[in-house]
Amino acid sequence: MVSMSIVINGRELASKISAKVKERVEELKRKGVYPCITAVLVGNDEASAIYVREKIKQCEKVGIKAQLLHLPQDMDTESLIKEVKKLSLDKTVHAILVQLPLPRQIDENAVLESISPEKDVDCLNPLNLGRLLVNDDCIESCTPKGIIRILENFNIPLEGKNVVVVNRSKIIGKPLSLMLLKKNATVRICHSKTEKLADHLSRADIIIVGVGKPKFLTVDMIKSGAVIIDVGTNKVNNKVVGDVDFESVKEKASFITPVPGGVGPMTVAMVLENTVLLAEKFGGAND
Ligand code: GUN
């Protein structure tokens, strides 16, 4: 017998979180702290521009001041670091978001190291990534945090469960694996060189996939009742789709996130939440 899965509404959950963030923003403002984020967008990557615009729009909705620093595609590492350091020193700015990917000529790691750890909204400074490894109380990467929040919200147990993460990036797979491990999940990180990926997937209680390939995950690959989290964003015939063959997989999964409207809005909600968190923790009055 096949049963339908619960399709997780990321937009609805994100808007509940935003409403709570809004209250915290108002509380901060009563103390003279005006939460402020600067998004750094380098170059003309169309998808990045769309993501950043959405983050800014949602920040403004809850009363967070959000500014865009749009820099030229052909700039060098040194000039970019100079800009990021300026923001790191600017007392009116609580959160810095450097949108990835950066243009090819830029030394990405050098740039991320120049983000003040106290303003690092996406947990990209290696100091914060190290803290994520060893501390309980630290800033957490937005997309992984949004995914964990989805799982918690739907009371999906993690302890002892087989979780397969098909992504090993510093913004998704690596931090997410650490965060799942903290919740006592048994975590396997798979990637393009993984042998017998199908075997790993077929045993997974929870699959989190972000590989950038439409219909990468098909119904024959999953176990009945598995939880499917789709972090893919692809464009097919001008439509945004994820990495999961949604229509067939949803018949066999217990929970599934759609694209769009699943993880994406949760990432944005976590940008808002982390901005307020940083302002609460490190922000002085700046009105
Ligand atoms: N590029 C794609 N997704 C993200 C994200 O969540 N944060 C940042 N900084 N860059 C991204």
Side-chain angles (χ1 to χ4, degrees):
M1 197 192 75
V2 267
S3 59
M4 292 271 287
S5 57
I6 292 177
V7 177
I8 290 168
N9 188 337
R11 286 196 188 104
E12 192 178 292
L13 184 52
S15 85
K16 280 187 198 156
I17 290 165
S18 297
K20 284 192 195 140
V21 171
K22 190 163 185 269
E23 289 173 15
R24 287 163 72 182
V25 169
E26 283 156 11
E27 179 60 27
L28 277 166
K29 287 183 176 173
R30 282 194 281 275
K31 295 178 188 155
V33 181
Y34 287 73
C36 171
I37 183 171
T38 299
V40 181
L41 176 64
V42 186
N44 311 314
D45 184 77
E46 203 186 320
S48 289
I50 292 169
Y51 296 146
V52 167
R53 239 181 282 137
E54 182 62 18
K55 287 170 186 173
I56 288 175
K57 183 175 138 198
Q58 296 302 326
C59 280
E60 287 173 339
K61 264 197 197 168
V62 298
I64 295 170
K65 183 178 174 195
Q67 42 204 21
L68 173 65
L69 181 59
H70 195 176
L71 297 166
Q73 175 79 30
D74 62 355
M75 81 186 307
D76 60 21
T77 301
E78 204 185 329
S79 325
L80 179 52
I81 288 176
K82 210 180 268 175
E83 294 293 340
V84 173
K85 282 191 172 161
K86 240 192 272 171
L87 295 170
S88 291
L89 291 171
D90 184 341
K91 290 219 177 342
T92 65
V93 174
H94 301 108
I96 302 169
L97 188 147
V98 176
Q99 187 69 19
L100 301 178
L102 293 169
R104 249 187 296 178
Q105 77 278 12
I106 304 265
D107 179 347
E108 185 178 288
N109 283 338
V111 172
L112 300 179
E113 279 192 36
S114 71
I115 302 172
S116 161
E118 297 189 351
K119 300 186 179 186
D120 183 17
V121 75
D122 246 334
C123 190
L124 287 170
N125 181 302
L127 182 65
N128 282 330
L129 282 166
R131 283 176 175 151
L132 197 58
L133 201 75
V134 293
N135 290 358
D136 284 331
D137 180 30
C138 60
I139 196 88
E140 294 175 315
S141 323
C142 295
T143 299
K145 192 177 181 182
I147 291 169
I148 300 272
R149 204 59 75 79
I150 286 173
L151 297 171
E152 284 175 349
N153 187 72
F154 287 86
N155 294 314
I156 295 163
L158 286 169
E159 186 157 310
K161 297 300 177 190
N162 281 325
V163 184
V164 170
V165 179
V166 196
N167 182 293
R168 55 171 158 173
S169 69
K170 66 181 132 201
I171 212 159
I172 302 173
K174 284 176 192 166
L176 177 59
S177 306
L178 297 173
M179 290 158 71
L180 290 164
L181 189 58
K182 256 183 217 173
K183 305 241 170 232
N184 297 322
T186 301
V187 187
R188 181 166 279 131
I189 309 177
C190 296
H191 46 79
S192 52
K193 301 285 188 290
T194 298
E195 292 182 3
K196 298 188 177 163
L197 175 67
D199 289 355
H200 299 305
L201 292 171
S202 68
R203 283 192 297 272
D205 301 305
I206 301 172
I207 297 172
I208 299 158
V209 58
V211 299
K213 290 187 185 148
K215 299 198 183 199
F216 172 81
L217 190 79
T218 51
V219 66
D220 54 298
M221 295 162 121
I222 73 160
K223 128 175 145 177
S224 183
V227 174
I228 309 297
I229 307 290
D230 191 346
V231 200
T233 317
N234 311 291
K235 247 191 183 168
V236 175
N237 301 328
N238 245 354
K239 260 180 65 183
V240 176
V241 298
D243 291 343
V244 175
D245 186 8
F246 184 80
E247 290 308 322
S248 65
V249 170
K250 86 172 195 295
E251 302 298 324
K252 197 175 176 186
S254 56
F255 293 89
I256 186 166
T257 61
V259 176
V263 173
M266 288 298 289
T267 295
V268 178
M270 293 304 118
V271 172
L272 314 192
E273 199 180 273
N274 278 356
T275 300
V276 165
L277 206 69
L278 293 171
E280 287 170 347
K281 225 169 157 177
F282 305 114
N286 62 347
D287 61 335

